Amino acid sequence: QLQLVESGGGVVQPGGSLRVSCAASGFGFSTSGIHWVRQAPGKGLEWVAFIRFDGSGKYYADSVKGRFTISRDNSKDTLYLQMNSLRTEDTAVYYCAKGPGPIEWEQEDWGQGTLVTVSS
Amino acid sequence: QAGLTQPPSVSKDLRQTATLTCTGNNNNVGNQGAAWLQQHQGHPPKLLSYRDNSRPSGISERFSASRSGNTASLTITGLQPEDEADYYCSAWDSSLDVVVFGGGTKLTVL
């Protein structure tokens, strides 16, 4: 059974750093592109980043470029999002979402999300 | 990065048909197509259709997607109470190399 399980969320002060993870199981992680998508409380979906199946291509929203880094460890079936210089507007539930193939951009399957709160 | 345009809300009667729209431009919806997602309150989104308008396994035939030019549409027939949810479209923008989302449409089934 396909599973995506996010972890690592919590409360962090503005300017701080946090790394969230997404553990995958039940499908070929190493052959799938994966997204991070976030949703601020009461707001819509905002795409954050995408990484191709082998890590050869990484793409970022302007709002996080230069501050966030997406990476993956295919030997551990795990996706990461390193978040630096956090701002209050980064407060959101962070979802990982699997694409239908190695580089396709649709968001086919989603985890339950992990809440990141940036507050002093 | 400008997002895709969706009407904020749509209300339809039970068992009627709702058509939700999503407007982009030549760099995203117009040449990449759009995907559609459904999100119930407190739950993660669920994919309803791929960019080629096909449905993932397990998605009801009552949901059908289409595209004309830079506008994508999701039609839901025979509306049921469980269809009340937020609906989002997404697309790849080939000029910016980013995914763009619509602001979402809240569908109310009366």
Side-chain angles (χ1 to χ4, degrees):
Chain A
Q1 181 182 356
L2 186 153
Q3 272 199 311
L4 295 163
V5 180
E6 300 91 340
S7 62
V11 180
V12 60
Q13 291 188 337
S17 297
L18 197 66
R19 188 179 80 162
V20 292
S21 303
C22 170
S25 60
F27 68 97
F29 180 80
S30 63
T31 60
S32 299
I34 312 282
H35 300 263
W36 284 105
V37 178
R38 68 185 180 184
Q39 187 168 35
K43 302 297 185 182
L45 301 173
E46 180 187 12
W47 177 77
V48 173
F50 175 71
I51 186 168
R52 290 188 171 193
F53 71 109
D54 57 357
S56 63
K58 301 178 184 181
Y59 308 86
Y60 298 92
D62 281 351
S63 59
V64 306
K65 196 174 294 183
R67 299 188 300 124
F68 290 12
T69 301
I70 189 172
S71 63
R72 64 191 298 159
D73 186 338
N74 285 349
S75 69
K76 296 182 178 178
D77 288 353
T78 303
L79 174 77
Y80 303 100
L81 185 69
Q82 177 66 44
M83 302 182 288
N84 298 331
S85 302
L86 282 160
R87 306 167 180 166
T88 55
E89 55 263 37
D90 295 320
T91 294
V93 173
Y94 284 73
Y95 295 102
C96 60
K98 165 192 169 296
I103 61 173
E104 290 80 358
W105 56 260
E106 295 102 314
Q107 304 85 36
E108 187 176 50
D109 294 282
W110 296 65
Q112 292 297 310
T114 187
L115 176 62
V116 173
T117 302
V118 184
S119 173
S120 55
Chain B
Q1 291 155 346
L4 307 176
T5 300
Q6 296 183 252
S9 63
V10 168
S11 297
K12 289 288 183 180
D13 290 329
L14 193 66
R15 294 183 294 277
Q16 295 304 301
T17 295
T19 298
L20 312 183
T21 59
C22 167
T23 302
N25 60 38
N26 291 333
N27 297 314
N28 43 60
V29 175
N31 73 1
Q32 297 288 321
W36 286 92
L37 302 131
Q38 176 192 59
Q39 186 180 32
H40 289 106
Q41 182 72 26
H43 292 270
K46 178 170 68 174
L47 185 69
L48 296 178
S49 73
Y50 295 100
R51 74 179 105 169
D52 64 358
N53 302 323
S54 64
R55 284 183 301 274
S57 173
I59 299 301
S60 170
E61 292 179 351
R62 297 189 299 107
F63 295 90
S64 64
S66 61
R67 179 174 66 89
S68 177
N70 295 335
T71 297
S73 299
L74 178 72
T75 299
I76 312 169
T77 59
L79 283 167
Q80 300 297 308
E82 61 266 28
D83 297 332
E84 191 161 288
D86 294 321
Y87 291 84
Y88 296 91
C89 57
S90 71
W92 179 259
D93 191 301
S94 58
S95 69
L96 301 174
D97 279 347
V98 298
V99 170
V100 287
F101 276 100
T105 296
K106 182 175 183 62
L107 175 64
T108 301
V109 179
L110 303 172

